[in-house]
Coordinates of all heavy atoms in Angstrom, one line a residue:
M1 N -43.4 -27.8 6.6 CA -42.3 -28.1 7.5 C -41.3 -29.0 7.0 O -40.1 -28.8 7.2 CB -42.9 -28.6 8.8 CG -42.0 -28.8 9.9 SD -41.4 -27.1 10.5 CE -40.9 -27.5 12.1
K2 N -41.7 -30.0 6.2 CA -40.8 -30.9 5.6 C -39.7 -30.2 4.7 O -38.5 -30.5 4.8 CB -41.5 -32.0 4.8 CG -40.6 -33.0 4.2 CD -41.3 -34.1 3.4 CE -40.4 -35.0 2.8 NZ -41.0 -36.0 1.9
K3 N -40.2 -29.3 3.9 CA -39.3 -28.5 3.0 C -38.2 -27.8 3.8 O -37.0 -27.8 3.5 CB -40.1 -27.5 2.2 CG -39.3 -26.7 1.2 CD -38.8 -27.5 0.1 CE -38.1 -26.6 -0.9 NZ -37.4 -27.2 -1.9
M4 N -38.6 -27.1 5.0 CA -37.6 -26.4 5.8 C -36.6 -27.4 6.4 O -35.4 -27.1 6.4 CB -38.3 -25.7 6.9 CG -37.3 -24.9 7.7 SD -37.8 -23.6 8.8 CE -39.2 -23.8 9.6
N5 N -37.0 -28.6 6.8 CA -36.1 -29.6 7.3 C -35.1 -30.0 6.2 O -33.9 -30.2 6.5 CB -36.8 -30.8 7.9 CG -37.5 -30.4 9.2 OD1 -37.1 -29.5 9.9 ND2 -38.5 -31.2 9.6
E6 N -35.6 -30.2 5.0 CA -34.7 -30.6 3.9 C -33.7 -29.5 3.6 O -32.5 -29.8 3.4 CB -35.6 -30.8 2.6 CG -36.4 -32.0 2.7 CD -37.3 -32.2 1.5 OE1 -37.2 -31.3 0.5 OE2 -38.2 -33.1 1.5
N7 N -34.1 -28.2 3.7 CA -33.2 -27.1 3.5 C -32.1 -27.1 4.6 O -30.9 -26.8 4.3 CB -33.9 -25.8 3.4 CG -34.7 -25.7 2.1 OD1 -34.4 -26.4 1.1 ND2 -35.7 -24.8 2.1
F8 N -32.5 -27.3 5.8 CA -31.6 -27.3 6.9 C -30.6 -28.4 6.8 O -29.4 -28.2 7.1 CB -32.4 -27.4 8.3 CG -31.5 -27.3 9.5 CD1 -31.0 -26.1 9.8 CD2 -31.1 -28.4 10.2 CE1 -30.1 -26.0 10.9 CE2 -30.3 -28.3 11.3 CZ -29.8 -27.1 11.7
N9 N -31.1 -29.6 6.3 CA -30.1 -30.7 6.1 C -29.1 -30.4 5.1 O -28.0 -30.9 5.2 CB -30.9 -32.0 5.8 CG -31.7 -32.5 6.9 OD1 -31.3 -32.3 8.1 ND2 -32.7 -33.2 6.6
L10 N -29.3 -29.5 4.1 CA -28.3 -29.1 3.2 C -27.1 -28.5 3.8 O -26.0 -28.6 3.4 CB -28.9 -28.2 2.1 CG -29.9 -28.8 1.1 CD1 -30.5 -27.7 0.3 CD2 -29.3 -29.9 0.3
L11 N -27.4 -27.7 4.9 CA -26.3 -27.1 5.6 C -25.4 -28.1 6.3 O -24.2 -27.7 6.5 CB -26.9 -26.1 6.7 CG -27.6 -24.9 6.2 CD1 -28.2 -24.1 7.3 CD2 -26.8 -24.1 5.2
K12 N -25.8 -29.3 6.6 CA -25.0 -30.3 7.1 C -23.9 -30.8 6.2 O -23.0 -31.4 6.5 CB -25.8 -31.4 7.7 CG -26.7 -31.0 8.9 CD -27.5 -32.1 9.4 CE -28.4 -31.7 10.5 NZ -29.3 -32.8 11.0
E13 N -24.1 -30.5 4.9 CA -23.2 -31.0 3.8 C -22.1 -30.0 3.5 O -21.4 -30.2 2.5 CB -24.0 -31.3 2.5 CG -25.1 -32.4 2.7 CD -26.0 -32.5 1.5 OE1 -25.7 -31.9 0.5 OE2 -27.0 -33.2 1.7
R14 N -22.0 -29.0 4.3 CA -21.0 -27.9 4.2 C -21.0 -27.3 2.8 O -20.1 -27.3 2.0 CB -19.6 -28.5 4.5 CG -18.6 -27.3 4.6 CD -17.2 -27.9 4.9 NE -16.2 -26.8 4.7 CZ -15.6 -26.2 5.7 NH1 -15.8 -26.6 6.9 NH2 -14.7 -25.3 5.5
P15 N -22.1 -26.7 2.5 CA -22.2 -26.0 1.2 C -21.4 -24.7 1.1 O -21.0 -24.2 2.2 CB -23.7 -25.6 1.1 CG -24.2 -25.5 2.5 CD -23.4 -26.5 3.3
T16 N -21.2 -24.2 -0.1 CA -20.5 -23.0 -0.3 C -21.6 -21.9 -0.6 O -22.3 -22.1 -1.6 CB -19.5 -23.1 -1.5 OG1 -18.6 -24.1 -1.2 CG2 -18.8 -21.8 -1.7
L17 N -21.7 -20.9 0.3 CA -22.8 -20.0 0.2 C -22.2 -18.6 -0.2 O -21.2 -18.2 0.3 CB -23.6 -19.9 1.5 CG -24.1 -21.2 2.0 CD1 -24.8 -20.9 3.4 CD2 -25.1 -21.8 1.1
F18 N -23.0 -17.9 -1.0 CA -22.6 -16.5 -1.4 C -23.8 -15.6 -1.1 O -24.9 -15.8 -1.6 CB -22.3 -16.5 -2.9 CG -21.6 -15.2 -3.3 CD1 -20.3 -15.0 -3.2 CD2 -22.4 -14.1 -3.8 CE1 -19.7 -13.8 -3.6 CE2 -21.9 -12.9 -4.2 CZ -20.5 -12.8 -4.1
F19 N -23.6 -14.6 -0.3 CA -24.7 -13.7 0.1 C -24.6 -12.4 -0.7 O -23.6 -11.7 -0.6 CB -24.6 -13.4 1.6 CG -25.0 -14.6 2.5 CD1 -24.0 -15.5 2.8 CD2 -26.3 -14.7 2.9 CE1 -24.4 -16.6 3.6 CE2 -26.6 -15.8 3.7 CZ -25.7 -16.7 4.1
L20 N -25.7 -12.0 -1.3 CA -25.8 -10.6 -2.0 C -26.3 -9.7 -0.9 O -27.2 -10.0 -0.2 CB -26.7 -10.7 -3.2 CG -26.2 -11.6 -4.3 CD1 -27.3 -11.6 -5.4 CD2 -24.9 -11.0 -4.9
G21 N -25.6 -8.5 -0.8 CA -26.0 -7.5 0.2 C -25.6 -8.0 1.6 O -26.2 -7.7 2.6
I22 N -24.4 -8.7 1.7 CA -23.9 -9.3 2.9 C -23.7 -8.2 4.0 O -23.6 -8.5 5.2 CB -22.7 -10.1 2.6 CG1 -22.4 -11.1 3.8 CG2 -21.5 -9.2 2.3 CD1 -21.4 -12.1 3.5
G23 N -23.5 -7.0 3.6 CA -23.3 -5.9 4.6 C -24.5 -5.4 5.4 O -24.4 -4.6 6.3
G24 N -25.6 -5.9 5.0 CA -26.9 -5.6 5.7 C -27.0 -6.3 7.1 O -26.3 -7.4 7.3
V25 N -27.8 -5.8 8.0 CA -27.9 -6.4 9.3 C -28.4 -7.8 9.2 O -27.9 -8.7 9.8 CB -28.9 -5.5 10.2 CG1 -29.2 -6.2 11.5 CG2 -28.3 -4.2 10.4
S26 N -29.4 -8.1 8.4 CA -30.0 -9.4 8.3 C -29.1 -10.4 7.6 O -28.8 -11.5 8.0 CB -31.4 -9.4 7.6 OG -32.3 -8.6 8.3
M27 N -28.6 -10.0 6.4 CA -27.7 -10.9 5.7 C -26.4 -11.2 6.4 O -25.9 -12.3 6.4 CB -27.4 -10.3 4.3 CG -28.5 -10.3 3.3 SD -28.9 -12.0 2.9 CE -30.1 -11.8 1.7
S28 N -25.8 -10.2 7.1 CA -24.6 -10.4 7.8 C -24.8 -11.4 9.0 O -24.0 -12.3 9.2 CB -24.0 -9.1 8.3 OG -24.9 -8.5 9.3
S29 N -26.0 -11.3 9.6 CA -26.3 -12.3 10.7 C -26.5 -13.7 10.1 O -26.0 -14.7 10.7 CB -27.6 -11.9 11.4 OG -27.5 -10.6 12.0
L30 N -27.1 -13.8 9.0 CA -27.2 -15.1 8.3 C -25.9 -15.7 7.9 O -25.6 -16.9 8.1 CB -28.1 -15.0 7.1 CG -29.6 -14.8 7.4 CD1 -30.4 -14.5 6.1 CD2 -30.2 -16.0 8.1
A31 N -25.0 -14.8 7.4 CA -23.7 -15.2 7.0 C -22.8 -15.7 8.2 O -22.2 -16.7 8.1 CB -23.0 -14.0 6.3
F32 N -22.9 -14.9 9.3 CA -22.2 -15.4 10.5 C -22.7 -16.7 11.0 O -21.9 -17.6 11.4 CB -22.3 -14.3 11.6 CG -21.3 -13.2 11.5 CD1 -21.7 -11.9 11.5 CD2 -19.9 -13.5 11.5 CE1 -20.7 -10.9 11.4 CE2 -19.0 -12.5 11.4 CZ -19.4 -11.1 11.3
S33 N -24.0 -16.9 11.0 CA -24.6 -18.1 11.4 C -24.2 -19.3 10.6 O -23.9 -20.4 11.1 CB -26.1 -18.0 11.5 OG -26.6 -17.1 12.4
A34 N -24.2 -19.1 9.2 CA -23.8 -20.2 8.3 C -22.4 -20.5 8.5 O -22.0 -21.7 8.5 CB -24.1 -19.7 6.9
K35 N -21.5 -19.5 8.7 CA -20.1 -19.8 9.0 C -19.9 -20.6 10.3 O -19.1 -21.5 10.3 CB -19.4 -18.4 9.1 CG -17.9 -18.5 9.4 CD -17.1 -18.8 8.2 CE -15.6 -18.7 8.5 NZ -14.8 -19.2 7.4
K36 N -20.6 -20.3 11.3 CA -20.5 -21.0 12.6 C -21.0 -22.5 12.4 O -20.6 -23.3 13.1 CB -21.4 -20.3 13.7 CG -20.7 -19.1 14.2 CD -21.5 -18.5 15.3 CE -20.9 -17.2 15.8 NZ -21.7 -16.6 16.9
M37 N -21.9 -22.7 11.4 CA -22.4 -24.0 11.2 C -21.5 -24.8 10.3 O -21.7 -26.0 10.0 CB -23.8 -24.0 10.5 CG -24.9 -23.4 11.5 SD -26.5 -23.3 10.7 CE -27.0 -25.0 10.7
G38 N -20.4 -24.2 9.9 CA -19.4 -24.9 9.1 C -19.5 -24.7 7.6 O -18.7 -25.3 6.8
C39 N -20.3 -23.8 7.1 CA -20.4 -23.5 5.7 C -19.3 -22.7 5.2 O -18.7 -21.9 6.0 CB -21.7 -22.8 5.4 SG -23.2 -23.7 5.8
D40 N -18.9 -22.8 4.0 CA -18.0 -21.9 3.3 C -18.8 -20.7 2.9 O -19.7 -20.8 2.1 CB -17.3 -22.5 2.1 CG -16.4 -23.6 2.6 OD1 -15.7 -23.5 3.6 OD2 -16.3 -24.6 1.8
V41 N -18.5 -19.5 3.4 CA -19.3 -18.3 3.2 C -18.5 -17.2 2.6 O -17.3 -16.9 2.9 CB -19.9 -17.8 4.5 CG1 -20.7 -16.5 4.3 CG2 -20.7 -18.9 5.1
S42 N -19.0 -16.5 1.6 CA -18.5 -15.2 1.1 C -19.7 -14.4 0.6 O -20.8 -14.8 0.7 CB -17.5 -15.5 -0.1 OG -18.2 -16.1 -1.1
G43 N -19.4 -13.2 0.2 CA -20.5 -12.3 -0.2 C -20.1 -11.1 -0.9 O -18.9 -10.7 -1.0
Y44 N -21.1 -10.3 -1.4 CA -21.0 -9.1 -2.1 C -21.7 -8.0 -1.4 O -22.9 -8.2 -0.9 CB -21.5 -9.2 -3.5 CG -21.6 -7.9 -4.2 CD1 -20.5 -7.2 -4.8 CD2 -22.9 -7.2 -4.3 CE1 -20.7 -6.0 -5.4 CE2 -23.0 -6.0 -4.9 CZ -21.9 -5.4 -5.4 OH -22.1 -4.2 -6.0
D45 N -21.2 -6.8 -1.3 CA -21.9 -5.6 -0.9 C -21.2 -4.4 -1.6 O -19.9 -4.4 -1.6 CB -21.9 -5.4 0.6 CG -23.0 -4.5 1.0 OD1 -22.9 -3.3 0.9 OD2 -24.1 -5.0 1.4
S46 N -22.0 -3.5 -2.1 CA -21.4 -2.4 -2.9 C -20.6 -1.4 -2.1 O -19.7 -0.8 -2.6 CB -22.5 -1.7 -3.7 OG -23.4 -1.1 -2.8
T47 N -20.9 -1.4 -0.8 CA -20.3 -0.4 0.1 C -19.6 -1.0 1.3 O -20.1 -1.7 2.1 CB -21.4 0.6 0.6 OG1 -22.2 1.1 -0.4 CG2 -20.8 1.7 1.4
P48 N -18.3 -0.7 1.4 CA -17.5 -1.1 2.6 C -18.1 -0.4 3.8 O -18.6 0.7 3.8 CB -16.1 -0.6 2.4 CG -16.0 -0.4 0.9 CD -17.4 0.0 0.5
S49 N -18.2 -1.2 5.0 CA -18.8 -0.6 6.2 C -18.1 -1.3 7.4 O -17.3 -2.3 7.2 CB -20.3 -0.9 6.2 OG -20.6 -2.2 6.3
E50 N -18.6 -0.9 8.5 CA -18.1 -1.6 9.8 C -18.6 -3.0 9.8 O -17.8 -3.9 10.2 CB -18.7 -0.8 11.0 CG -18.3 -1.4 12.3 CD -16.9 -1.3 12.7 OE1 -16.2 -0.4 12.1 OE2 -16.4 -2.1 13.5
I51 N -19.7 -3.3 9.3 CA -20.2 -4.7 9.2 C -19.4 -5.5 8.3 O -19.0 -6.7 8.6 CB -21.7 -4.7 8.8 CG1 -22.6 -4.1 9.9 CG2 -22.2 -6.2 8.6 CD1 -24.1 -4.0 9.6
T52 N -19.1 -5.0 7.1 CA -18.3 -5.8 6.2 C -16.9 -6.0 6.7 O -16.3 -7.1 6.5 CB -18.2 -5.2 4.8 OG1 -17.7 -3.9 4.8 CG2 -19.6 -5.1 4.1
R53 N -16.4 -5.0 7.5 CA -15.0 -5.2 8.1 C -15.1 -6.3 9.1 O -14.2 -7.2 9.2 CB -14.6 -3.9 8.8 CG -13.2 -3.9 9.3 CD -12.8 -2.7 10.1 NE -13.7 -2.5 11.3 CZ -13.6 -3.2 12.4 NH1 -12.7 -4.2 12.6 NH2 -14.4 -3.0 13.4
R54 N -16.1 -6.4 9.9 CA -16.3 -7.4 10.9 C -16.4 -8.8 10.2 O -15.9 -9.8 10.7 CB -17.4 -7.2 11.8 CG -17.1 -6.2 12.9 CD -18.2 -6.1 14.0 NE -18.9 -4.9 13.7 CZ -20.2 -4.7 13.8 NH1 -20.9 -5.7 14.3 NH2 -20.8 -3.6 13.5
L55 N -17.1 -8.9 9.2 CA -17.3 -10.1 8.4 C -15.9 -10.6 8.0 O -15.6 -11.8 8.1 CB -18.2 -9.9 7.2 CG -19.7 -9.8 7.5 CD1 -20.4 -9.2 6.3 CD2 -20.3 -11.1 7.9
E56 N -15.1 -9.7 7.4 CA -13.8 -10.0 6.9 C -12.9 -10.5 8.0 O -12.1 -11.4 7.9 CB -13.2 -8.9 6.1 CG -14.0 -8.7 4.8 CD -13.5 -7.4 4.0 OE1 -13.3 -6.4 4.7 OE2 -13.5 -7.4 2.8
E57 N -13.0 -9.8 9.2 CA -12.2 -10.2 10.3 C -12.6 -11.6 10.8 O -11.8 -12.3 11.4 CB -12.3 -9.2 11.4 CG -11.6 -7.9 11.2 CD -11.8 -6.8 12.3 OE1 -12.7 -7.1 13.2 OE2 -11.2 -5.8 12.2
G58 N -13.9 -11.9 10.6 CA -14.4 -13.2 11.0 C -14.1 -14.3 10.0 O -14.6 -15.5 10.1
G59 N -13.3 -14.0 8.9 CA -12.9 -15.0 7.9 C -13.9 -15.2 6.8 O -13.9 -16.2 6.1
I60 N -14.8 -14.2 6.6 CA -15.7 -14.2 5.5 C -15.3 -13.2 4.4 O -15.3 -12.0 4.7 CB -17.2 -13.9 6.0 CG1 -17.6 -15.0 7.0 CG2 -18.1 -13.8 4.8 CD1 -18.9 -14.7 7.7
P61 N -14.9 -13.7 3.3 CA -14.5 -12.7 2.2 C -15.7 -11.9 1.7 O -16.8 -12.4 1.5 CB -14.0 -13.6 1.1 CG -13.7 -14.9 1.7 CD -14.7 -15.0 2.9
V62 N -15.5 -10.6 1.6 CA -16.5 -9.7 1.1 C -16.0 -9.0 -0.1 O -14.9 -8.4 -0.1 CB -16.9 -8.7 2.2 CG1 -18.0 -7.7 1.6 CG2 -17.5 -9.4 3.4
Y63 N -16.7 -9.0 -1.2 CA -16.3 -8.4 -2.4 C -17.1 -7.1 -2.6 O -18.3 -7.1 -2.3 CB -16.5 -9.3 -3.6 CG -15.8 -10.6 -3.5 CD1 -16.4 -11.8 -3.1 CD2 -14.4 -10.7 -3.7 CE1 -15.7 -12.9 -2.9 CE2 -13.7 -11.8 -3.6 CZ -14.4 -13.0 -3.2 OH -13.7 -14.2 -3.0
H64 N -16.5 -6.0 -3.1 CA -17.2 -4.8 -3.3 C -17.2 -4.4 -4.8 O -17.6 -3.3 -5.1 CB -16.4 -3.7 -2.5 CG -16.4 -3.9 -1.0 ND1 -17.5 -3.8 -0.2 CD2 -15.4 -4.3 -0.2 CE1 -17.2 -4.1 1.0 NE2 -15.9 -4.4 1.0
S65 N -16.9 -5.3 -5.6 CA -17.0 -5.1 -7.1 C -17.6 -6.4 -7.7 O -17.4 -7.5 -7.2 CB -15.7 -4.7 -7.7 OG -14.8 -5.8 -7.6
F66 N -18.3 -6.2 -8.8 CA -18.8 -7.4 -9.5 C -17.8 -8.1 -10.3 O -17.1 -7.5 -11.1 CB -20.0 -6.9 -10.4 CG -20.6 -8.1 -11.1 CD1 -21.5 -8.9 -10.5 CD2 -20.3 -8.3 -12.5 CE1 -22.0 -10.0 -11.2 CE2 -20.8 -9.3 -13.2 CZ -21.7 -10.2 -12.5
D67 N -17.7 -9.4 -10.1 CA -16.9 -10.2 -11.0 C -17.5 -11.6 -11.0 O -17.6 -12.2 -9.9 CB -15.5 -10.3 -10.4 CG -14.5 -11.0 -11.3 OD1 -14.9 -11.9 -12.1 OD2 -13.3 -10.8 -11.1
P68 N -17.9 -12.2 -12.1 CA -18.5 -13.5 -12.2 C -17.6 -14.6 -11.5 O -18.1 -15.6 -11.1 CB -18.6 -13.7 -13.7 CG -18.7 -12.4 -14.3 CD -17.8 -11.5 -13.4
M69 N -16.3 -14.4 -11.4 CA -15.4 -15.4 -10.8 C -15.8 -15.5 -9.3 O -15.6 -16.6 -8.7 CB -14.0 -14.9 -10.9 CG -13.4 -14.8 -12.3 SD -13.3 -16.4 -13.1 CE -11.9 -17.1 -12.1
H70 N -16.4 -14.5 -8.7 CA -16.8 -14.6 -7.3 C -17.9 -15.7 -7.0 O -18.0 -16.2 -5.9 CB -17.2 -13.3 -6.7 CG -16.2 -12.2 -6.8 ND1 -16.5 -10.9 -6.9 CD2 -14.8 -12.3 -6.8 CE1 -15.4 -10.2 -6.9 NE2 -14.4 -11.0 -6.9
Y71 N -18.6 -16.0 -8.1 CA -19.8 -16.9 -8.0 C -19.4 -18.3 -8.3 O -20.3 -19.2 -8.2 CB -20.9 -16.4 -8.9 CG -21.3 -14.9 -8.6 CD1 -21.2 -14.1 -9.7 CD2 -21.7 -14.5 -7.4 CE1 -21.6 -12.7 -9.5 CE2 -22.0 -13.1 -7.2 CZ -21.9 -12.3 -8.3 OH -22.2 -10.9 -8.1
E72 N -18.2 -18.6 -8.8 CA -17.9 -19.9 -9.2 C -17.9 -20.9 -8.0 O -17.3 -20.6 -7.0 CB -16.5 -19.9 -9.9 CG -16.6 -19.4 -11.3 CD -15.3 -19.6 -12.1 OE1 -14.4 -20.3 -11.6 OE2 -15.2 -18.9 -13.1
G73 N -18.5 -22.0 -8.2 CA -18.5 -23.1 -7.2 C -19.4 -22.9 -6.0 O -19.4 -23.6 -5.0
I74 N -20.4 -21.9 -6.1 CA -21.3 -21.7 -5.0 C -22.5 -22.6 -5.1 O -22.8 -23.0 -6.2 CB -21.7 -20.3 -4.8 CG1 -22.5 -19.8 -6.0 CG2 -20.6 -19.4 -4.5 CD1 -23.2 -18.4 -5.8
D75 N -23.1 -23.0 -4.0 CA -24.3 -23.9 -4.0 C -25.5 -23.0 -4.0 O -26.5 -23.4 -4.4 CB -24.3 -24.8 -2.8 CG -23.1 -25.8 -2.8 OD1 -22.9 -26.4 -3.9 OD2 -22.4 -25.8 -1.8

């Protein structure tokens, strides 16, 4: 339980998070939750979809191609 509390406390420091497979139901939910908690969020998904469109409308950048520059500065 202590480890989980330590991980949760990291979110209070406004980390920059990058989600792989962000267009999936579970990952997109985590991404939206992290964004609501004040984290800087972005992610990658190979296929544009309704979910990735909603993420982008919610202020979460979604990349559909691989570029190492997308990973710079993430926690």
Side-chain angles (χ1 to χ4, degrees):
M1 186 69 156
K2 182 179 178 185
K3 179 73 171 169
M4 183 162 34
N5 288 338
E6 289 173 6
N7 290 339
F8 184 75
N9 286 333
L10 289 175
L11 294 177
K12 294 179 181 177
E13 299 172 10
R14 192 179 168 106
T16 301
L17 304 176
F18 190 87
F19 290 85
L20 295 174
I22 198 168
V25 173
S26 297
M27 285 297 187
S28 62
S29 296
L30 290 171
F32 276 124
S33 295
K35 178 79 171 170
K36 285 183 183 178
M37 294 177 75
C39 299
D40 293 322
V41 178
S42 61
Y44 166 81
D45 201 278
S46 62
T47 308
S49 67
E50 179 66 24
I51 293 174
T52 59
R53 185 188 61 76
R54 279 190 258 144
L55 287 161
E56 290 171 325
E57 288 176 354
I60 299 173
V62 177
Y63 303 101
H64 299 289
S65 62
F66 177 78
D67 185 340
M69 297 291 291
H70 300 154
Y71 308 121
E72 286 189 10
I74 63 170
D75 296 309

